[in-house]
Amino acid sequence: MSNEIYQKIRVVLVNPSHPGNIGAVARAMKTMALAQLVIVAPQRDPFDSEARARAAGALDVLLRAQVVEQFEQAISDCGLVVGASARLRTIPWPTFDPHQCAQQVVATARHDAVALVFGREDTGLTNDELARCQRLVHIPANPDYSSLNLASAVQVITYEIRMAELAAGDQSVSLPPEQPLATAAELQGLYQHLEKTLQQIGFYDPANPRQLMRRLRRLFNRAQLDKMEMNILRGILAAVDEKHK
Amino acid sequence: MSNEIYQKIRVVLVNPSHPGNIGAVARAMKTMALAQLVIVAPQRDPFDSEARARAAGALDVLLRAQVVEQFEQAISDCGLVVGASARLRTIPWPTFDPHQCAQQVVATARHDAVALVFGREDTGLTNDELARCQRLVHIPANPDYSSLNLASAVQVITYEIRMAELAAGDQSVSLPPEQPLATAAELQGLYQHLEKTLQQIGFYDPANPRQLMRRLRRLFNRAQLDKMEMNILRGILAAVDEKHK
């Protein structure tokens, strides 16, 4: 049971620059019983000698890591995508501390795949990448120096997940959802459809976006749509489109 | 007040072998607002180039570290000495997880100095050293691979201390909402408008409701709409209505 939950949770590193950090992330993950590592467009060879040295006894996790070119490939099948963010955004996004985050990650991982997304060492995640995340997790670091090492950030987040999983034990408080959750790819499809339809009815002008699409994304991300709700919303958009043919 | 608590808490590294780890410990500490580092009998120069590189923006913490010869010197003035232990002992010692440990550390640091003691990278603390600790803190790692990097262990323990201090200080990490929430009356207005518009575009047939409105209510209720989101949704419905006049 425990193992199944850990297998549903992957760590996604976006565009990491230092192979040593990637190895250290593998080590941090394995100490917390996680093994699914996905590396998006690494800037250098993620399996070099420094990465292997820093992985220590977690070399297996490092060597089984999946390397993909696009961020989309790393998250498309996930029911929950959580982004680690050190920055405050102009539009506040639903943000949890690692303890709160872990409760939701463990509850979701009982039935759906979860991605924990970590950005570049220097600049973090882009706004477009953050917009693909349904939740943000923020480690409440020292405001005067909040720069955790990448592997240290992974260690803290995954530590809280293990604590939550141990505390939850066999008691499953949350009911299984009526329907599987919509995947990240399905959500992306919804947002594209919504944007197109809103342009068509004259409500949305890309030349004057006023953060409209970002606000709508935030709303639906927060709701964690299931597949039936997704189908209803797509159906409504299709009905609006049909009338405007 | 906060600063005084953090100043009462020191990290003690006993006989560390890798300068890089010492620098990484300084960085982990500073991200959690700690600055008192004591190094007992380091095996190599704790201020070498690798230590400085790994310290990154916490070079000040590294360079102000106190180096002592005897463990005793590092802890003698402390009211509470907590030892980090990966091992189970033959004689059970009062052992906390990092969350429990942090509560006691923060409570004690209001009035007394506290030492957090971390052992050698390979062999940890000796039995004599452990015997000088009043409490042990144990990170509940993967039993199949419990070997956290030294700086990662410091990061987890000090993260919990900062979380405990923030909780005690009644400071919330979550942002205040950007907008007041929509009221129940506003929500009701939204649902009525939505129902009318969906009928108009032929998506909803009250004679064959299929729980559609109930599902949409549940979705938007779950999202806890704020006033701006409410206005956006009403605006979209009005734009659809306009096209069907």
Side-chain angles (χ1 to χ4, degrees):
Chain A
M1 180 58 183
S2 299
N3 278 342
E4 286 173 27
I5 286 182
Y6 292 125
Q7 284 166 18
K8 290 271 197 191
I9 302 171
R10 77 189 63 166
V11 169
V12 176
L13 303 181
V14 179
N15 217 204
S17 55
H18 298 302
N21 283 339
I22 299 172
V25 165
R27 179 173 178 179
M29 289 172 59
K30 188 170 178 181
T31 64
M32 296 298 141
L34 295 179
Q36 315 296 325
L37 174 59
V38 183
I39 310 167
V40 181
Q43 297 179 37
R44 284 163 50 199
D45 175 15
F47 308 114
D48 78 2
S49 61
E50 200 192 339
R52 288 164 192 252
R54 294 280 297 281
L59 191 59
D60 55 334
V61 172
L62 176 66
L63 296 184
R64 274 192 271 110
Q66 195 186 346
V67 178
V68 299
E69 276 310 301
Q70 303 292 330
F71 179 47
E72 175 66 27
Q73 298 167 273
I75 61 164
S76 58
D77 62 325
C78 289
L80 177 64
V81 180
V82 179
S85 173
R87 291 180 294 157
L88 296 178
R89 294 167 52 85
T90 45
I91 300 184
W93 213 249
T95 301
F96 290 148
D97 71 33
H99 184 75
Q100 298 162 330
C101 167
Q103 313 301 315
Q104 187 163 25
V105 167
V106 168
T108 303
R110 293 187 194 286
H111 42 80
D112 278 280
V114 177
L116 306 170
V117 181
F118 294 83
R120 298 150 192 84
E121 287 92 337
D122 46 358
T123 56
L125 295 168
T126 65
N127 280 342
D128 282 350
E129 287 156 358
L130 285 168
R132 298 298 308 275
C133 300
Q134 287 146 291
R135 301 283 188 279
L136 298 185
V137 56
H138 174 76
I139 297 173
N142 181 358
D144 294 333
Y145 183 64
S146 60
S147 166
L148 271 76
N149 168 270
L150 177 58
S152 285
V154 171
Q155 188 78 65
V156 167
I157 304 292
T158 58
Y159 153 78
E160 283 282 21
I161 288 171
R162 186 166 169 81
M163 290 285 275
E165 198 282 324
L166 290 171
D170 276 6
Q171 333 160 6
S172 177
V173 285
S174 68
L175 292 170
E178 192 185 4
Q179 289 270 328
L181 295 179
T183 66
E186 288 165 340
L187 275 173
Q188 187 67 1
L190 171 68
Y191 297 137
Q192 285 164 355
H193 192 169
L194 183 60
E195 183 169 344
K196 195 167 63 65
T197 302
L198 292 180
Q199 279 188 52
Q200 205 177 2
I201 64 171
F203 188 75
Y204 174 61
D205 176 7
N208 181 21
R210 294 168 305 148
Q211 300 186 310
L212 178 69
M213 289 312 302
R214 190 166 297 238
R215 289 187 189 279
L216 287 167
R217 269 177 185 269
R218 181 176 66 172
L219 188 172
F220 289 111
N221 278 348
R222 197 165 71 225
Q224 288 199 291
L225 302 176
D226 68 27
K227 285 195 192 297
M228 181 174 291
E229 292 167 341
M230 171 63 68
N231 290 339
I232 290 172
L233 294 175
R234 290 299 292 260
I236 293 173
L237 292 174
V240 172
D241 295 343
E242 183 65 30
K243 289 279 172 183
H244 285 88
K245 256 188 187 162
Chain B
M1 178 61 182
S2 298
N3 278 341
E4 285 173 27
I5 286 182
Y6 292 125
Q7 283 166 20
K8 291 273 197 187
I9 302 171
R10 76 190 64 168
V11 169
V12 176
L13 302 181
V14 179
N15 216 203
S17 55
H18 299 301
N21 283 339
I22 299 172
V25 164
R27 177 174 179 179
M29 288 172 60
K30 188 170 178 181
T31 64
M32 297 297 142
L34 296 178
Q36 315 296 322
L37 174 60
V38 183
I39 310 167
V40 181
Q43 297 178 38
R44 284 161 50 199
D45 174 14
F47 308 115
D48 78 2
S49 61
E50 200 191 339
R52 288 166 191 250
R54 295 279 297 279
L59 191 59
D60 56 332
V61 173
L62 176 67
L63 296 183
R64 275 192 273 110
Q66 196 186 347
V67 179
V68 300
E69 276 309 302
Q70 303 293 329
F71 179 46
E72 175 65 26
Q73 299 167 272
I75 59 166
S76 58
D77 60 327
C78 289
L80 176 65
V81 180
V82 179
S85 172
R87 291 179 295 157
L88 296 178
R89 295 167 52 83
T90 45
I91 303 181
W93 215 248
T95 301
F96 291 147
D97 71 33
H99 184 76
Q100 298 162 330
C101 167
Q103 313 300 317
Q104 187 162 24
V105 167
V106 168
T108 305
R110 294 187 192 288
H111 42 79
D112 278 283
V114 177
L116 306 170
V117 181
F118 295 82
R120 299 149 194 85
E121 287 93 336
D122 47 358
T123 57
L125 296 168
T126 65
N127 280 343
D128 282 352
E129 287 157 357
L130 285 168
R132 298 298 310 277
C133 300
Q134 291 146 289
R135 301 283 187 281
L136 299 185
V137 57
H138 174 75
I139 297 173
N142 180 359
D144 295 333
Y145 183 65
S146 61
S147 167
L148 272 76
N149 168 271
L150 177 57
S152 286
V154 171
Q155 188 78 65
V156 166
I157 304 292
T158 58
Y159 153 77
E160 283 282 22
I161 288 171
R162 186 165 169 81
M163 289 286 275
E165 199 281 324
L166 290 172
D170 207 20
Q171 303 171 27
S172 172
V173 294
S174 66
L175 294 168
E178 189 187 11
Q179 291 269 328
L181 294 179
T183 65
E186 287 165 339
L187 274 173
Q188 187 64 8
L190 171 68
Y191 298 138
Q192 285 164 355
H193 192 169
L194 183 61
E195 184 169 342
K196 194 167 64 62
T197 302
L198 292 181
Q199 279 187 54
Q200 203 178 359
I201 63 171
F203 189 77
Y204 175 61
D205 176 6
N208 181 19
R210 293 168 305 149
Q211 298 189 309
L212 178 69
M213 290 312 301
R214 189 170 301 244
R215 288 187 190 278
L216 287 167
R217 271 179 185 270
R218 184 177 62 171
L219 188 173
F220 289 112
N221 280 345
R222 196 165 70 225
Q224 290 201 287
L225 302 177
D226 68 28
K227 286 196 191 297
M228 182 174 293
E229 291 166 342
M230 170 64 69
N231 290 338
I232 290 172
L233 294 175
R234 292 297 294 260
I236 292 174
L237 292 174
V240 173
D241 295 344
E242 183 65 28
K243 292 277 175 184
H244 285 89
K245 257 189 185 160

